[in-house]
Amino acid sequence: MKISLFIFIIFNICGIIIKRVIKMQKESKFKVEKNILIPLILFMIISVITIYCTKSLLPSDLQNLYLKQILWYTIGFIIAFVMMLFGNKFLYNNAYILYIIGVLLLILVLFIGTPINNAKCWFIIPYIGSFQPSEFMKIFLIITLSRMIGDFNAERRNSDPMEEFKFLIKVLIVVGIPSVLTFIEPDTGAVLIYFIITIVMLFTAGFKSRWFVATISIILVLGGVFLGIYFLNGDLFIKIFGTSFFYRMDRILNWSNSSGLQLTNSLTAIGSAGSLGHGFNHTPIYFPEMQTDFIFAVFASNFGFIGVLCLISLLIYFDINIISLAEKTNDACDKFTVGGIIAVLLFQQIQNISMTIGLLPIMGITLPFISYGGSSLLSYMILIGMLFNISNEKLRFKN
């Protein structure tokens, strides 16, 4: 009875929100792309319901996470709409200040951060929760790179290869500093996201293909040397990179042969779900990080193959509408920003779902808008605020 009442309240609240937002859109000068906003509200419903489904299997101090997620979403929507008062130009104008703040936070977390699972990635704020600087560094990088690429394209007079090369060195330094700091924490997944953001944004900016070919060639050569040392001389690898990184590599490269509790129980929960799943709040088995990194397995076990198809279809629809913003905006920096945002979302969606079903290594990467998390959800909502700014300009011009 309580469960049915909970679902009824959630759906009614969200229905009221959607109707109110649509009404406000007609009356307000702030125009938001409904094809982005409505999927976002549906993500909130899915997230809260799925996190609720972990309640019975989590410790008593974690059984109110679904209520906290509602709070984080509320704060996130407020932040997203407040950002529309400032606009993206404000962010681009202050890009380098935001970048410096992000780097300083990454340095501070190494010294005064709270170790969790042998990683110093978080500040613990009493009565509020944890704060992860690397989540916000993704945003600062997107804003900074958009500003850098926009300025470079506006100033250059020709396609001089040396001019492009010097600029790419600057980009490498800007991305390299937070990457090294984040790697030390260690947070390998975030480092990978930094570089994916960079590659996609440079590709969006129209840089010559020779730079991508050269970069891939260098990565392959260095990667070959790196893996050669790892496989052929483990002692030398440990001397160069340390024991901690050796075990990190061992865990990543041998994920397909592992039979750990997390992946085994995740596959069991998903595989036993069938077409319709075990039903709401009937997660059959416990696995670590089920409310965060492995939230997809919880959703799949409760709602089955049909539920998974609906969720993935909604994710694809959401991504396509974000990509369409880049095609419609005339602002160069906004185009680069959309490229960086879609790089983050697509990579995390693919990585998270794939690692949950054993296709990719298990990394600390959440499923955007679905996994529980304060820092991660608020960082996504800031990105949404930037997208709202882009769609606001387009829709105001149209109207």
Side-chain angles (χ1 to χ4, degrees), residues 214-270:
T215 301
I216 292 172
S217 300
I218 292 171
I219 291 173
L220 290 175
V221 171
L222 293 177
V225 173
F226 178 81
L227 292 175
I229 297 173
Y230 171 80
F231 285 113
L232 300 177
N233 195 331
D235 292 336
L236 177 60
F237 187 96
I238 291 173
K239 286 181 181 179
I240 298 173
F241 299 103
T243 305
S244 175
F245 187 56
F246 177 81
Y247 286 117
R248 229 191 308 170
M249 286 297 301
D250 187 59
R251 186 171 65 251
I252 291 173
L253 293 175
N254 293 302
W255 96 91
S256 60
N257 298 322
S258 65
S259 56
L261 173 69
Q262 196 172 36
L263 181 58
T264 300
N265 286 11
S266 170
L267 292 174
T268 300
I270 295 171

Side-chain angles (χ1 to χ4, degrees), residues 61-311:
D61 59 326
L62 297 178
Q63 292 188 5
N64 65 341
L65 292 182
Y66 68 98
L67 295 175
K68 288 185 176 181
Q69 188 76 341
I70 294 174
L71 175 62
W72 291 128
Y73 255 111
T74 303
I75 296 172
F77 273 113
I78 292 171
I79 290 173
F81 282 103
V82 166
M83 287 182 65
M84 297 181 72
L85 299 175
F86 296 92
N88 287 349
K89 292 295 182 185
F90 174 82
L91 298 175
Y92 300 143
N93 290 338
N94 294 280
Y96 300 123
I97 295 174
L98 295 173
Y99 175 82
I100 292 170
I101 291 172
V103 170
L104 290 176
L105 288 173
L106 290 176
I107 294 172
L108 278 175
V109 81
L110 293 174
F111 289 97
I112 62 175
T114 303
I116 300 176
N117 296 329
N118 299 317
K120 266 193 172 182
C121 303
W122 299 269
F123 295 111
I124 300 299
I125 304 173
Y127 308 109
I128 296 177
S130 59
F131 170 76
Q132 190 172 0
S134 60
E135 290 288 348
F136 294 92
M137 193 67 228
K138 300 172 194 174
I139 303 170
F140 300 151
L141 265 184
I142 290 173
I143 296 169
T144 303
L145 291 176
S146 293
R147 166 76 182 273
M148 289 179 66
I149 297 170
D151 289 348
F152 176 74
N153 284 344
E155 293 172 2
R156 64 173 171 175
R157 298 289 180 267
N158 51 56
S159 56
D160 180 13
M162 185 54 63
E163 190 179 356
E164 285 190 352
F165 178 73
K166 290 178 181 178
F167 174 74
L168 292 174
I169 293 297
K170 292 179 184 177
V171 169
L172 183 61
I173 294 171
V174 167
V175 177
I177 293 171
S179 296
V180 170
L181 293 171
T182 305
F183 184 80
I184 293 171
E185 292 180 0
D187 188 352
T188 310
V191 175
L192 190 55
I193 291 172
Y194 295 163
F195 282 100
I196 288 173
I197 288 171
T198 306
I199 291 171
V200 172
M201 291 183 72
L202 290 173
F203 181 81
T204 305
F207 278 80
K208 301 295 183 183
S209 58
R210 57 173 170 256
W211 300 117
F212 298 100
V213 173
T215 301
I216 292 172
S217 300
I218 292 171
I219 291 173
L220 290 175
V221 171
L222 293 177
V225 173
F226 178 81
L227 292 175
I229 297 173
Y230 171 80
F231 285 113
L232 300 177
N233 195 331
D235 292 336
L236 177 60
F237 187 96
I238 291 173
K239 286 181 181 179
I240 298 173
F241 299 103
T243 305
S244 175
F245 187 56
F246 177 81
Y247 286 117
R248 229 191 308 170
M249 286 297 301
D250 187 59
R251 186 171 65 251
I252 291 173
L253 293 175
N254 293 302
W255 96 91
S256 60
N257 298 322
S258 65
S259 56
L261 173 69
Q262 196 172 36
L263 181 58
T264 300
N265 286 11
S266 170
L267 292 174
T268 300
I270 295 171
S272 63
S275 297
L276 300 175
H278 295 284
F280 173 73
N281 202 27
H282 285 85
T283 309
I285 191 170
Y286 170 80
F287 36 88
E289 308 299 336
M290 61 193 311
Q291 76 278 21
T292 53
D293 299 353
F294 276 69
I295 195 72
F296 179 78
V298 178
F299 180 85
S301 66
N302 280 265
F303 302 105
F305 181 70
I306 293 176
V308 167
L309 282 181
C310 292
L311 175 58

